[in-house]
Amino acid sequence: GENVEQHPSTLSVQEGDSAVIKCTYSDSASNYFPWYKQELGKGPQLIIDIRSNVGEKKDQRIAVTLNKTAKHFSLHITETQPEDSAVYFCAARLGSNYQLIWGAGTKLIIKP
Amino acid sequence: EADIYQTPRYLVIGTGKKITLECSQTMGHDKMYWYQQDPGMELHLIHYSYGVNSTEKGDLSSESTVSRIRTEHFPLTLESARPSHTSQYLCASSPVFVQGTFDEQFFGPGTRLTVL
């Protein structure tokens, strides 16, 4: 079955710097890769996603890149702000009739 | 803001008690999910449903049960709570689109369960 590994488990960056979180997946047939952000005391919320027919997607300060050959995808956050502090989860899915397989999460800390 | 609600938000209960965690959504979504999560840690899918009268077990073995009698309601029940059930339980829902599209999961705020 599909397996998703996420690194690092904790990431601390200076406010204003960039943050990168990486995930690798095992099943080359996976075609959907979302990223969720979970703030303290709340449920996760989708922030960006990418499909396997696209190599990169941007939304303001966040971007996701996908390398299908290497089977990894990354979340990039530029000009980090205090409100970016949260736990970020990546996930992968084989198709619409399958369930998401989640990474273990990355705690992002933005230092003032 | 997603319209998905969970009650109670916090529950402390003794071993052996029967409990039901409530989850309701007002978005008319067909798919619903229950996840178990230790705070800030990985999400584990324990149950899901494709619609009314549909329930499936997830990847993580769980002693809980679920029911889906109405589209908007997806309660989770533990017949006899144990300390090992102490965790956070997250409910989510997603719409079903035509084949070839992808669905976002909308999460509730979670129920933090402590079994003494």
Side-chain angles (χ1 to χ4, degrees):
Chain A
E2 175 65 285
N3 182 54
V4 176
E5 293 187 0
Q6 183 172 348
H7 299 280
S9 58
T10 304
L11 178 61
S12 182
V13 301
Q14 204 69 38
E15 181 178 350
D17 289 349
S18 296
V20 180
I21 302 170
K22 298 181 180 179
C23 288
T24 60
Y25 59 98
S26 59
D27 196 323
S28 57
S30 292
N31 59 10
Y32 176 60
F33 308 92
W35 285 90
Y36 282 76
K37 174 184 181 182
Q38 185 176 26
E39 296 177 339
L40 198 62
K42 298 183 179 180
Q45 184 174 12
L46 179 71
I47 55 171
I48 196 168
D49 56 11
I50 193 168
R51 307 177 187 184
S52 57
N53 59 349
V54 176
E56 183 177 5
K57 184 176 178 181
K58 287 184 180 180
D59 184 3
Q60 299 182 345
R61 294 187 299 108
I62 61 173
V64 56
T65 58
L66 172 65
N67 183 327
K68 288 190 294 181
T69 302
K71 291 189 286 187
H72 66 71
F73 56 110
S74 299
L75 177 71
H76 304 255
I77 305 175
T78 60
E79 301 173 11
T80 52
Q81 300 169 3
E83 54 264 36
D84 294 329
S85 293
V87 179
Y88 291 80
F89 292 95
C90 65
R93 191 174 66 189
L94 286 169
S96 59
N97 290 327
Y98 293 82
Q99 305 308 318
L100 285 174
I101 305 299
W102 296 82
T106 296
K107 183 176 182 179
L108 177 62
I109 301 167
I110 307 301
K111 297 181 291 185
Chain B
E1 194 77 17
D3 296 322
I4 180 163
Y5 309 98
Q6 291 187 243
T7 57
R9 290 293 312 276
Y10 302 92
L11 179 62
V12 181
I13 201 162
T15 297
K17 299 292 186 183
K18 177 180 179 179
I19 60 170
T20 296
L21 307 184
E22 302 288 348
C23 176
S24 295
Q25 50 96 4
T26 59
M27 298 171 283
H29 290 169
D30 287 313
K31 290 185 180 179
M32 294 190 75
Y33 314 81
W34 275 104
Y35 290 91
Q36 186 173 339
Q37 181 191 34
D38 291 328
M41 303 293 285
E42 187 174 358
L43 282 79
H44 296 285
L45 181 66
I46 51 175
H47 297 283
Y48 60 99
S49 167
Y50 287 115
V52 172
N53 295 325
S54 155
T55 60
E56 304 286 344
K57 288 187 180 295
D59 301 325
L60 182 67
S61 175
S62 174
E63 295 164 342
S64 58
T65 59
V66 292
S67 63
R68 190 87 183 277
I69 299 173
R70 303 197 316 265
T71 297
E72 63 271 23
H73 194 214
F74 191 41
L76 180 144
T77 298
L78 275 167
E79 290 292 333
S80 179
R82 295 208 300 269
S84 60
H85 296 138
T86 295
S87 189
Q88 175 163 260
Y89 292 83
L90 289 166
C91 179
S93 71
S94 63
V96 175
F97 291 111
V98 297
Q99 189 174 5
T101 63
F102 300 89
D103 48 351
E104 173 182 353
Q105 292 190 19
F106 296 88
F107 284 83
T111 294
R112 181 75 60 86
L113 172 66
T114 302
V115 183
L116 303 176

